[in-house]
Amino acid sequence: MAGLQSQDFARISATTFRPPDVRHDFEVAKLIDVSKCIGCKACQAACLEWNNLREEVGFNIGVYDNPHDLTPNTWTLMRFTEWENAESGNLEWLIRKDGCMHCADPGCLKACPAPGAIVQYNNGIVDFVSENCIGCGYCVKGCPFNIPRISQTDHKAYKCTLCSDRVSVGQAPACAKACPTGAIVFGTKEAMLNYAEGRITDLKSRGFKNAGIYDPPGVGGTHVMYVLHHADRPQLYANLPQNPRISQVVELWKGLTKYTGMAVVGFAAMFAFVHATVARRNDVSRAEDREAEHLIDEEAARGREA
Amino acid sequence: MAVRREEERTTVDRYPGRVRVNHWVTAISLILLALSGAALFHPSLFFLSSFFGGGSNTRMLHPWIGVVLLLSFAILFVQMVRYNFWTRVDTEWMRHIGDVMAGREENLPEIGKYNGAQKLVFWLMTLMILVLFGTGLMIWYEYFGTSFTIEQQRFAHIVHALAAIAMLLVVIVHIYAGFYVRGTINAMTEGKVTGGWAFRHHRLWLRREARKGVIDERQVPPRRHGVGPAE
Ligand code: HEM
Ligand code: SF4
Ligand code: SF4
């Protein structure tokens, strides 16, 4: 958050106010080259360190994933998959650095009901603004990558910030700085796409014929991208979605439902108002009061007889 | 429950205190739910959250008010369900809905404690509250965030929002009818209505009540012209 101001906002959650969009930043991107990753978790440690977070000591259940899932403190997590490649007969160790993808069309932001709790900067970074977060968990359901986590301590949502505080002063994210193999690189989105080209050509020359970039168009592209050796099968990498997009249910819920809801309830209230002024007053007449007396006497007499 | 001859008017008991208290607890929680829900429903209504102590408190309070609603409505349901079973007269009454809207009650069949529309409101409320409570639990993130899959929660969200809209329509009809049909509010404030009101709107019910007997609550004999205390 630090250093970025409202002039830098491209989108703001739950607000009808359109950001001024006065600064036209370069779009940034982080490129994670899965083929270069050795699974050392230096990035995971750097994330905790830079963001001053602590993770609880957990349990070993026989896998390398530690902790077992993203948490309000673990904003990035190495996910390990052992996969037997039937074609080559090799056992491949696929390691993916999971975390927020900083979607160009962020589902979290679309779902969020709290004004300003989620913002997207002009440089493409999607950031959660804790002061404005109400802890409802809508973002969890908006996100196609299952990223946000709500803290049970302060009831706020947390996820990777792409080190927006570092980026705003011209620094690369802490994880990119820490990676010993250069598997994480950071720069403008254009530069990262160019860089990825070279990596993909290299991988293809080494026999990974399906090597490619993961920059899913369903969410408008992302500001965290992967180079995958098997880009045709992203699910291999701990269920990275093949074609992620904001769920149709979420689109309907946040789209049509809102407008028709407001319109229908507004119309009903209007109709009630008009009917109240136009229709004949539905009041009891003197005659009915008198007839009621007769009826009561009659029925009371009948009741006494019975 | 009885017909009472009072000083200046005749009244019919409609709701005892325990039903009225319950009705108002239900009504107030419903209004609070609609306001707090609306705050999260649309950005232009987010300001409503300030009535509940800010966004976080709104998020925290709304489901608990829902629990209050469910409990008070459950009791209300038990108190009222026996008067709300559908009969042939209700179908007949429903055919004349045009006369109802135009206030021509002369053309309507005699009805008991509730007319078809009132029964419909009763059953729709029951259904909506059950749906809202069920889906509400599914999206109560603080306690049930991991009890349902994200996909299930997405569906619960849209159903909850749609049910809330349907519920508000029913509530608008219900409140509007209470005001439009003059003399109805008294049933829920004082617990009784006038004889004329019962005659006009629920004649069959008035017959049954009168048959049970009439209580004379007049302190002095009915005034006649020229007789009685000096004014
Ligand atoms: C009967 C029990 C109910 C429960 C347990 C319940 C629970 C919830 C929960 C958990 C949420 C998500 C926000 C939050 O965490 O506070 C929510 C949202 C909402 N509720 Fe309820 N609720 C109930 C009844 C109602 C009623 C009666 C109405 C309106 C007539 C209503 C209208 C709404 C609306 C409009 C939203 C926002 C939906 C959206 O953002 O699209 N709820 N409710
Ligand atoms: S929990 Fe997520 S959706 Fe809810 S206010 Fe916070 S950031 Fe927005
Ligand atoms: S990955 Fe999820 S949390 Fe990150 S920007 Fe996209 S929708 Fe939001």
Side-chain angles (χ1 to χ4, degrees), chain A residues 112-114 117-118 133-139 150 157:
Chain A
C112 178
I118 304 182
C133 171
I134 65 170
C136 61
Y138 285 20
C139 48
I150 316 290

Side-chain angles (χ1 to χ4, degrees), chain A residues 99-109 118 126 128 139 142-148 159-160 219 222 246:
Chain A
C100 175
M101 301 294 287
H102 296 272
C103 312
D105 184 14
C108 57
L109 190 148
I118 304 182
V126 178
F128 286 8
C139 48
C143 174
F145 294 95
N146 185 15
I147 298 301
K159 70 160 188 67
C160 158
V219 291
T222 53
I246 300 177

Side-chain angles (χ1 to χ4, degrees), chain A residues 30-62:
Chain A
K30 180 165 82 180
L31 184 74
I32 302 167
D33 185 346
V34 171
S35 67
K36 274 191 178 179
C37 174
I38 56 170
C40 68
K41 302 181 187 172
C43 53
Q44 232 179 284
C47 181
L48 292 171
E49 193 178 3
W50 175 258
N51 293 298
N52 200 3
L53 299 165
R54 304 284 182 279
E55 190 54 77
E56 269 175 49
V57 176
F59 299 93
N60 189 336
I61 56 163

Side-chain angles (χ1 to χ4, degrees), chain A residues 14-15 113-115 133-138 140-141 143 146 150 152 155 247 249-250 252-253 257-258 261-262 264-265 268-269 271-272 275-276 279-284 288-289 291-293 295-297 299-300 303, chain B residues 3 5 10 40-46 55-56 59 101-106 139 141-142 150-151 153-155 157-158 161-162 165 168-169 172 176 180-182 194-197 199-201 203 206-207 210-211 214:
Chain A
T15 176
C133 171
I134 65 170
C136 61
Y138 285 20
V140 177
K141 289 150 262 190
C143 174
N146 185 15
I150 316 290
Q152 285 288 359
H155 303 290
S247 155
V249 182
V250 172
L252 266 179
W253 162 41
T257 313
K258 304 275 126 152
M262 297 288 275
V264 165
V265 173
F271 180 81
H275 190 257
R280 204 168 77 186
R281 261 170 79 90
N282 190 330
D283 211 344
V284 180
E288 280 166 325
D289 270 329
E291 283 183 70
E293 295 303 321
L295 186 109
I296 290 168
D297 287 336
E299 294 292 344
Chain B
V3 176
R5 284 254 150 79
T10 303
L40 305 178
F41 183 69
H42 196 274
S44 63
L45 301 174
F46 189 79
S56 294
R59 182 267 305 157
M101 292 306 286
R104 290 188 298 264
E105 307 223 357
E106 315 75 79
I139 57 176
Y141 204 79
E142 191 171 345
I150 288 177
E151 199 54 30
Q153 293 182 33
R154 285 174 182 150
F155 273 101
H157 263 292
I158 197 166
L162 290 172
I165 295 163
L168 280 179
L169 293 181
I172 287 174
Y176 179 67
Y180 170 62
V181 180
R182 302 299 195 279
T194 65
W197 184 93
F199 178 84
R200 180 174 167 86
H201 305 296
R203 200 170 300 164
L206 177 63
R207 287 184 196 283
R211 233 170 276 171
V214 177

